Structure formats: C-alpha cells, structure tokens
Amino acid sequence: MNKYSDLLKVNISTDADIYILSYKLNKFLEKNNLINPAISLVARELATNILKYGTRGFIEVTYDGELLVITADDMGKNNVELSGKGLGIGLDVVKNNCDKLEITKKREGGSTVKATFLIKFLINKDNRNKFSVSIGVASKPHYLESKSGDICVYKKVDDRYFIFVADILGHGERAYETAVYIKAHIERLRETAAIQEILAELISLPGISRGFAGFIGYISHDRIEYINIGNIRIWIITPSSISKLIETPGIIGKTPLPLKTYTEHITSNYFSIIACTDGIKRQFTPTRQMYWIWDLNPHNIANKIINDFGIKEDDSTVLVAKGGSAY
C-alpha cells in the first residue's frame, strides 16, 4: 500500500506542461498548507531538465505529512551525469534547495531524479503565533536627481505589520524634504493608531506644500486593512490568485475626508504583497509566469522590478512583503 496521503502526477512533453505543473502544484501545496517556495522551484527545474535531457517524462509529487518527494522520470536522449559539474545548473539548483537528492540512471535510457523535503511542521491557519512577514524595499531617484521623494515605512505592531508607502508630487530636493518630514512623523505615531487617524494627522500636518499619493495598511494573518489614495499600485499574490487592491482617486492633502478604508481577506497560508509607486511602468503587472516572484527573496524581487520596469524620469520605489503562517 502506498504510504503517501496525497499524490500529484503531471506528464511533461512540451513547455506548456511546465505551466500546467506550476498551476497544479500550487493547488496541491495550498491544499496541504505548505508554504515552502523551494518546492515549486525544484519541481520546475526538474521538469525543465526532462525537456532538456529527455524526450518526455513526468513529475510526481507525494506527501505523507512528514516528507514531500518530487520524482522526475524522463525517457532520456542524453543522460544526466551523476556527479560533479555534470549535474548542470538545473540540478545544482535542485540540490541546493532540497534536503536529499537521489539520481538513478535507467538501463533502458533516461534518468530518475528524486528530491526529498523534510516538512518540519504543518501549517495551521489559526496559528497566529507563527505569522510573520519578511519585507524588502528598493528605490531609485529621478536620473537627474540624487534624492527621492518616495517613502516606505514598515514595522511590526503586536500581531500585525504596518506598511506606509508614499509618493510626493514632483521630484528633487523639495520632494525629498517633504518626504523626510512625513516619514519622521509616521515613525513617531503611536503604534496602535487606526488608519483613519493616521490619514487625518497626515492631512493636518503643518508646513506641507506638496500633496502626495499614499498607502496606509495593516497586514494580519488573514487580511489586509488599508486605504490607498492616488496612483500607488498594490497586489496580493497567493498560490491560487492575484488580486489588485483598490485605488481611491485623489491626493492626500487635496482630497477631502472621509475616505473609505477597505479590507481584503487573505485565504492562503502563504502570500506576497507588491507595492509600486508610479515610477514603475504601467506594463508591470504580476503574472503566474513571473516565477522569480516566488523564488527570490523580497529585497531581490524589489530590485528586479526597479531594474526591469523603473522609469528613469521619475522617482521609483517598490516594496515587497512575503509572509504567512510560519513563514
């Protein structure tokens, strides 16, 4: 009798099958409350190797609550070497991201590769004590300026995470001075301040001659409460969905109150949040084909978006938060 409690198998013969694998694997991982991004990375690398070294094959994923095993079986046309540099970059990635790697050449041709993950704990959706978020930020000023008018502030507040992202109108020294002033005020706010209270204080700050677009939000284990005024774009990405948060038209300091606070529920144990100021090209929209969003850490994701999609004629800032239960 097969000891595994759950199994996924996907045949691999074309590039399209890799996309099918990614979709089905995300569903499989979410169903089993697994949040290790390395699992998706390893499965994709093994599927890519099937096409590179074989004519066709399959990926099988088994999970018994303690061990998750990814098996790649190919009908080889050019067998993978079993040691040293012959592993190739794909299997080097696999080797570095799993707990155990086994490679077997088949007598009839082809290879079988098994990557094993030790699942150290199961994720409990109600376990708030293990909820955590990792955040990375990248920012670049207008190419003719040395300072940016964008702001990012983030901190842990009890069992939530506070995030503030703002884009001061214009750029250069005056925008930077306003940004420094607002950032200092945000950092001095009492930690239990409500979103509407923070917004009201920002609007009433003396000495601000420039309005700004701004996002104010609190992230908890199952939701994000926020207000987003202006042109800052924000997405919540889970293994099963990509949702864009609501943008309220206007400018903080120019748009009259009251403004609505929104709540977006997070139904997955693992999620990513990406926030971009308008210095990022509108053509940037997260998709499931952007595997690096899952594979890279928050700081490297933010830098990649800045480098690939930043507009040099404007200040550009990206904040990336990755987290969930036991992240």
Side-chain angles (χ1 to χ4, degrees), residues 244-260:
K244 189 170 185 287
L245 298 190
I246 295 171
E247 299 170 24
T248 300
I251 293 293
I252 296 177
K254 308 291 183 181
T255 304
L257 296 178
L259 295 171
K260 184 177 179 180

Side-chain angles (χ1 to χ4, degrees), residues 228-272:
N228 185 26
I229 304 167
N231 52 15
I232 293 174
R233 295 182 297 150
I234 303 179
W235 297 267
I236 298 179
I237 305 165
T238 72
S240 60
S241 66
I242 299 176
S243 302
K244 189 170 185 287
L245 298 190
I246 295 171
E247 299 170 24
T248 300
I251 293 293
I252 296 177
K254 308 291 183 181
T255 304
L257 296 178
L259 295 171
K260 184 177 179 180
T261 300
Y262 294 92
T263 299
E264 181 82 13
H265 291 278
I266 300 173
T267 58
S268 172
N269 285 321
Y270 175 72
F271 63 86
S272 295

Side-chain angles (χ1 to χ4, degrees), residues 19-85:
Y19 294 105
I20 294 171
L21 170 66
S22 294
Y23 175 79
K24 290 186 175 181
L25 181 59
N26 283 338
K27 292 288 188 182
F28 180 92
L29 295 177
E30 185 165 81
K31 179 178 68 172
N32 286 288
N33 294 327
L34 300 173
I35 62 169
N36 187 346
I39 295 172
S40 297
L41 172 63
V42 166
R44 191 164 58 252
E45 292 292 345
L46 290 176
T48 300
N49 268 18
I50 287 176
L51 298 181
K52 183 176 180 181
Y53 295 106
T55 56
R56 65 186 185 279
F58 64 83
I59 295 289
E60 182 179 88
V61 183
T62 52
Y63 176 57
D64 68 353
E66 295 181 357
L67 296 178
L68 184 142
V69 180
I70 302 174
T71 301
D73 193 285
D74 74 82
M75 309 292 288
K77 60 185 178 183
N78 182 18
N79 287 346
V80 180
E81 294 295 330
L82 297 185
S83 62
K85 296 181 180 179

Side-chain angles (χ1 to χ4, degrees), residues 203-322:
I203 290 175
S204 64
L205 278 177
I208 294 182
S209 59
R210 297 186 175 208
F212 55 95
F215 171 87
I216 307 166
Y218 283 101
I219 306 170
S220 59
H221 75 289
D222 64 349
R223 71 190 63 193
I224 177 168
E225 299 172 89
Y226 70 95
I227 191 164
N228 185 26
I229 304 167
N231 52 15
I232 293 174
R233 295 182 297 150
I234 303 179
W235 297 267
I236 298 179
I237 305 165
T238 72
S240 60
S241 66
I242 299 176
S243 302
K244 189 170 185 287
L245 298 190
I246 295 171
E247 299 170 24
T248 300
I251 293 293
I252 296 177
K254 308 291 183 181
T255 304
L257 296 178
L259 295 171
K260 184 177 179 180
T261 300
Y262 294 92
T263 299
E264 181 82 13
H265 291 278
I266 300 173
T267 58
S268 172
N269 285 321
Y270 175 72
F271 63 86
S272 295
I273 294 173
I274 298 178
C276 302
T277 63
D278 70 345
I280 299 301
K281 295 175 183 177
R282 303 297 293 187
Q283 72 188 66
F284 171 72
T285 299
T287 68
R288 301 216 165 277
Q289 287 68 46
M290 294 178 176
Y291 295 122
W292 44 271
I293 291 176
W294 297 105
D295 300 340
L296 300 179
N297 64 43
H299 180 73
N300 288 340
I301 294 170
N303 273 310
K304 180 172 176 58
I305 295 172
I306 287 279
N307 293 332
D308 292 354
F309 298 97
I311 301 171
K312 71 174 186 176
E313 296 85 4
D314 198 358
D315 298 334
S316 54
T317 294
V318 177
L319 179 144
V320 177
K322 278 191 170 187

Side-chain angles (χ1 to χ4, degrees), residues 96-152:
N96 293 332
N97 283 278
C98 67
D99 295 298
K100 182 180 180 181
L101 178 64
E102 302 170 86
I103 308 171
T104 306
K105 283 186 176 180
K106 297 185 294 185
R107 179 175 297 179
E108 66 274 19
S111 304
T112 299
V113 180
K114 287 189 177 183
T116 300
F117 294 82
L118 174 62
I119 306 302
K120 297 179 176 61
F121 46 78
L122 293 177
I123 305 304
N124 184 336
K125 287 188 176 182
D126 297 321
N127 192 344
R128 300 186 186 188
N129 293 329
K130 292 184 178 179
F131 172 71
S132 63
V133 174
S134 176
I135 296 175
V137 174
S139 188
K140 185 180 291 186
H142 185 291
Y143 80 108
L144 294 177
E145 306 290 346
S146 60
K147 297 176 180 178
S148 173
D150 291 348
I151 311 167
C152 281

